[in-house]
Amino acid sequence: MTAPAVLLTGATGYIASHTWLALLAAGFKVLGVDNFSNSSPEVLNRLRLLSGQTPLFEQADVCDGAAMQSLFQRHRIDAAVHFAAFKAVGESNRKPLDYYANNLGGLITLCQTMARHDCRALVFSSSATVYGKPEQLPIREDAALASTNPYGATKLMSENILRDVEQSDPRWTMALLRYFNPVGAHESGQIGEDPRGTPNNLMPYITQVAVGQRARLQVFGNDYDTPDGTGMRDYIHVLDLADGHVAALRYLLQGKRSITANLGTGRGHSVLDLVHAFEQASGRSVPYDIVPRRPGDVDACYADPSLAQRVLGWRAGRDIHSMCVDSWRWQSMNPHGYAAPPAR
Ligand code: WQD
């Protein structure tokens, strides 16, 4: 029985690189593709170090139909995990056309190429952002969907496109995974989150303050309807998220019908909860200032993860302390991310 071959798009990105390692450990063959528009080729060196094998990789843009056709002609691919997408909420408000062209164009090109090569098992990287401002907490998969920015709209539209594709041809089987807030890093400290420019997300901003790259954290509002007034989110360890993708692929490759599932812990933590947990885990202080709310932010957002547990046999097991310990190890070993070799 030959190992199933899985194509990862956006393969050198934060969540994809961790998923790559988890898939190899689970016995899958992996082919990575990325155009390095938001990631570093150095990730491939780190994956080689961690896996003991040279990663099978091709540089290409998933929007490039000719390149994707050539890739599928030269490699046997049983399933794909589609991570490649632009993901910065603020940037999507400034450049909506880039987001629609890249995020929707890439998905459509990938699906067209897959179908042409009789490959119809797809795991899609969706996001809790499709829930907009949640009416009920914890959030179930049948909650109302709404987009509050072009990035979130591309995720919602992508889900609709995939549901139409599946309706049109029942040979397709898909897992639409709605991530909550991914944080943390591989326990080696060799791979982790390395945002370009000023981090949009909370954890990389915290770690850059702790390592001295930035002076102070800005806490976006403390007048939300939460216990301490700061925004509450469902932070999930990226290694748990990676395991969720392995579980989803195993599910699809057993010929099971499509699923849409929340990948979260089911627990909410506020901004200040995370700051304090990080200070305890790292031994570093994270000075902060309370500033006005960031437009578009919601008070609280955390998952009901019971469907993934019931159907995929998956649940997140790592707690907020290990998320902080692992985030700190990555950042303290790589003060400049992938731009420089890791500190010993
Ligand atoms: C978390 C909390 C902020 C930064 C977004 C996308 C989502 C996914 C994850 C792509 C909020 C507060 C943040 C800072 C702060 N992205 N914060 N100071 O907004 O929940 O989700 O990123 O897949 O789809 O919507 O994550 O980390 O930006 O914010 O106070 O410097 O931290 O207000 O309460 P968010 P986040």
Side-chain angles (χ1 to χ4, degrees):
M1 157 80 171
T2 53
V6 181
L7 172 70
L8 301 187
T9 70
T12 50
Y14 171 45
I15 301 169
S17 52
H18 287 83
T19 302
W20 194 327
L21 287 178
L23 286 170
L24 291 176
F28 289 85
K29 188 167 171 279
V30 178
L31 167 63
V33 63
D34 205 309
N35 65 356
F36 299 128
S37 65
N38 194 23
S39 62
S40 166
E42 172 60 18
V43 171
L44 297 170
N45 295 330
R46 308 294 177 92
L47 291 175
R48 180 184 302 112
L49 179 77
L50 292 171
S51 66
Q53 54 184 292
T54 299
L56 188 58
F57 176 79
E58 295 208 5
Q59 182 174 351
D61 185 335
V62 68
C63 296
D64 180 343
M68 295 306 289
Q69 175 70 0
S70 164
L71 184 143
F72 272 80
Q73 277 168 336
R74 289 179 288 108
H75 298 275
R76 191 204 90 231
I77 295 167
D78 300 301
V81 186
H82 185 43
F83 291 103
F86 295 156
K87 54 157 279 186
V89 171
E91 184 186 54
S92 77
N93 286 312
R94 294 191 300 275
K95 302 177 178 175
L97 288 177
D98 292 356
Y99 271 68
Y100 288 116
N102 183 69
N103 292 6
L104 300 184
L107 175 72
I108 292 165
T109 302
L110 174 66
C111 290
Q112 287 173 324
T113 314
M114 288 175 70
R116 210 177 294 131
H117 293 83
D118 208 23
C119 171
R120 293 184 179 82
L122 175 69
V123 176
F124 174 67
S125 167
S126 191
S127 166
T129 198
V130 301
Y131 294 116
K133 182 172 174 50
E135 289 156 13
Q136 195 178 354
L137 292 167
I139 306 175
R140 291 161 39 105
E141 287 83 357
D142 59 3
L145 304 180
S147 58
T148 55
N149 55 73
Y151 158 74
T154 67
K155 289 300 182 182
L156 194 47
M157 290 176 187
S158 295
E159 289 198 6
N160 291 336
I161 289 168
L162 290 173
R163 271 188 275 275
D164 288 344
V165 168
E166 190 208 358
Q167 286 296 321
S168 75
D169 180 346
R171 290 174 295 178
W172 279 94
T173 184
M174 304 169 177
L176 281 55
L177 304 180
R178 292 172 178 166
Y179 309 158
F180 280 70
N181 288 63
V183 294
H186 187 266
E187 61 275 9
S188 65
Q190 292 290 340
I191 58 173
E193 187 172 11
D194 183 21
R196 294 205 165 158
T198 306
N200 297 299
N201 297 136
L202 179 60
M203 182 62 97
Y205 206 106
I206 287 176
T207 60
Q208 288 189 14
V209 169
V211 82
Q213 298 294 335
R214 300 195 183 270
R216 301 175 69 84
L217 170 71
Q218 292 189 311
V219 175
F220 298 145
N222 67 348
D223 57 352
Y224 285 106
D225 181 16
T226 62
D228 66 13
T230 63
M232 184 169 273
R233 297 291 185 274
D234 185 333
Y235 297 99
I236 176 170
H237 199 297
V238 66
L239 293 176
D240 282 329
L241 209 50
D243 291 342
H245 289 75
V246 175
L249 273 166
R250 284 183 170 141
Y251 174 83
L252 296 184
L253 292 173
Q254 288 166 6
K256 300 287 179 63
R257 295 300 296 147
S258 298
I259 181 177
T260 298
N262 290 334
L263 295 192
T265 66
R267 282 201 63 191
H269 286 91
S270 73
V271 175
L272 294 183
D273 288 337
L274 196 64
V275 169
H276 298 144
F278 185 87
E279 289 181 322
Q280 189 158 36
S282 64
R284 293 292 177 100
S285 76
V286 178
Y288 64 84
D289 301 305
I290 304 290
V291 300
R293 293 183 174 194
R294 178 172 64 177
D297 276 353
V298 299
D299 298 58
C301 174
Y302 51 91
D304 174 344
S306 57
L307 187 142
Q309 188 168 343
R310 189 171 62 252
V311 178
L312 300 179
W314 168 91
R315 65 183 295 276
R318 295 169 177 87
D319 63 10
I320 202 78
H321 177 72
S322 65
M323 293 178 209
C324 293
V325 167
D326 294 341
S327 290
W328 176 237
R329 186 184 303 107
W330 151 254
Q331 186 76 83
S332 57
M333 285 175 60
N334 302 272
H336 302 287
Y338 291 112
R344 290 286 160 230

